[in-house]
């Protein structure tokens, strides 16, 4: 279980899909509202859960159904990576131009949000497809191998542990960003569309790199200065996560969420005190 948890944790920062993590975090800062009620942190948790569902679903389907055809399918995955990169860059360019991404209404009718759980499930699935080339080996060995050779319930437990490892890693980053943006947004509120434009610039850079990485995979090249530089960063982060361990990351997630709850409560108390 711990090995599966650690493998899922490292899957969140794999070389193939590593650049998609900052793109996801960029989505979390697009909403320029800051009502002091902690909706940023709650949204980060909900959207991270939705993203994890999409990520884990692709790996489950690929591992159990498509694995026998993995060789013929995997050689075409770089094309998906290229298309995904151009799509992200296009969304980033749209934001840089001062336009907003499509919105949906909250079920309560209280206002629009710029992301939805369904879109994050799709993003998580895209993250997984882009990551399969670098992560499917450990997943097949740890999860699918056990599922086929032993008790299916054990395979399900390992699968859930793998998904949880990915989710807690992304969750710590997402909740931390959401918590930080509560103060950042209030300071930049008069800057108009600065935050969406910054997120757009990040998405353009990420999309360009993801497309470039897909092209790199198609070339089959062994050395590339851009890829090598990002790989060094990815390897440093992966090694740090491995040293820290999954239990510590899980505790960190709980601590960050607890800190967000305390800060939100203090802000409400301060607002009530000022109102009286």
């Amino acid at each position: 279980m711990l090995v599966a948890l650690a493998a899922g944790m490292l899957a969140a920062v794999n070389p193939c899909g590593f650049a998609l993590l900052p793109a996801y975090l960029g989505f979390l800062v697009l909403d320029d509202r800051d009502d002091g009620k902690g909706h940023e942190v709650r949204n980060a948790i909900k959207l991270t859960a939705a993203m994890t569902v999409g990520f884990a679903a692709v790996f489950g389907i690929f591992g159990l159904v498509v694995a026998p055809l993995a060789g013929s399918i995997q050689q075409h995955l770089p094309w998906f990576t290229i298309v995904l990169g151009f799509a992200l860059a296009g969304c980033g360019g749209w934001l840089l131009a001062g336009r907003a991404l499509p919105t949906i209404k909250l079920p309560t009718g209280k206002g629009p949000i710029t992301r939805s759980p369904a879109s994050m499930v799709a993003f998580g699935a895209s993250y997984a497809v882009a990551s399969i080339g670098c992560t499917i080996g450990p997943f097949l060995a740890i999860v699918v191998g056990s599922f086929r050779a032993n008790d299916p319930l054990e395979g399900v437990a390992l699968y859930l542990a793998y998904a949880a490892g990915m989710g807690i890693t992304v969750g710590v980053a997402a909740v931390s960003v959401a918590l930080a943006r509560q103060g950042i947004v209030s300071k930049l509120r008069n800057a108009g569309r600065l935050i969406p434009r910054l997120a757009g610039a990040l998405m353009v850079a990420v999309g360009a790199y993801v497309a470039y990485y897909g092209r790199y995979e198609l070339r089959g090249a062994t050395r590339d200065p851009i890829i090598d530089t990002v790989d060094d960063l990815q390897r440093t982060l992966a090694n740090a996560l491995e040293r820290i361990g999954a239990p510590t990351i899980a505790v960190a997630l709980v601590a960050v969420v607890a800190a967000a709850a305390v800060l939100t409560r203090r802000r409400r108390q301060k607002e009530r005190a000022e109102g009286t």
Side-chain angles (χ1 to χ4, degrees):
M1 290 289 289
L2 288 176
V3 171
L5 190 67
M9 192 172 68
L10 294 176
V13 292
N14 72 87
C16 299
F18 173 64
L20 294 176
L21 182 56
Y24 168 68
L25 299 178
F27 278 111
L28 298 179
V29 300
L30 292 181
D31 184 5
D32 62 359
R33 292 174 299 136
D34 183 15
D35 58 8
K37 297 181 179 179
H39 78 274
E40 302 92 347
V41 174
R42 290 194 296 271
N43 271 348
I45 295 173
K46 292 177 183 178
L47 296 181
T48 297
M51 178 187 169
T52 302
V53 168
F55 187 92
V58 168
F59 271 80
I61 294 172
F62 193 92
L64 296 176
V65 179
V66 190
L69 307 175
S72 59
I73 292 176
Q74 194 163 338
Q75 62 181 335
H76 300 295
L77 292 179
W79 287 107
F80 173 84
T81 303
I82 293 174
V83 172
L84 177 62
F86 280 121
L88 285 173
C91 289
W94 185 263
L95 291 171
L96 273 174
R99 300 177 182 271
L101 293 178
T103 63
I104 62 172
K105 290 290 184 179
L106 293 172
T108 57
K110 294 182 179 179
I113 57 175
T114 54
R115 291 88 63 222
S116 69
S119 66
M120 289 300 102
V121 169
F123 187 89
S126 299
Y127 197 145
V129 173
S131 302
I132 280 177
C134 294
T135 56
I136 193 62
F139 179 79
L140 291 176
I142 298 170
V143 179
V144 178
S146 177
F147 189 91
R148 291 175 174 170
N150 302 315
D151 187 349
L153 291 178
E154 180 181 339
V156 171
L158 291 173
Y159 173 73
L160 294 177
Y162 185 91
M166 189 270 182
I168 62 174
T169 301
V170 176
V172 169
V175 174
S176 298
V177 167
L179 184 60
R181 78 170 286 284
Q182 290 186 17
I184 294 173
V185 170
S186 61
K187 295 178 181 178
L188 297 179
R189 189 173 296 280
N190 296 328
R193 292 184 175 272
L194 178 60
I195 289 178
R197 288 179 189 271
L198 289 175
L202 174 64
M203 290 174 64
V204 169
V206 166
Y209 176 79
V210 169
Y212 185 82
Y213 191 94
R215 178 58 180 162
Y216 165 80
E217 289 183 307
L218 287 175
R219 292 200 314 265
T222 56
R223 303 294 298 179
D224 184 282
I226 298 177
I227 301 297
D228 290 346
T229 299
V230 178
D231 276 354
D232 288 340
L233 175 61
Q234 177 271 331
R235 194 176 301 111
T236 299
L237 180 57
N239 290 338
L241 286 174
E242 193 170 15
R243 287 194 301 269
I244 293 171
T248 304
I249 295 293
V251 171
L253 178 58
V254 173
V256 172
V257 173
V262 171
L263 289 175
T264 300
R265 182 177 179 181
R266 287 181 178 178
R267 292 175 66 179
R268 290 179 179 175
Q269 291 175 343
K270 182 178 179 181
E271 290 174 356
R272 285 197 294 265
E274 291 176 350
T276 57

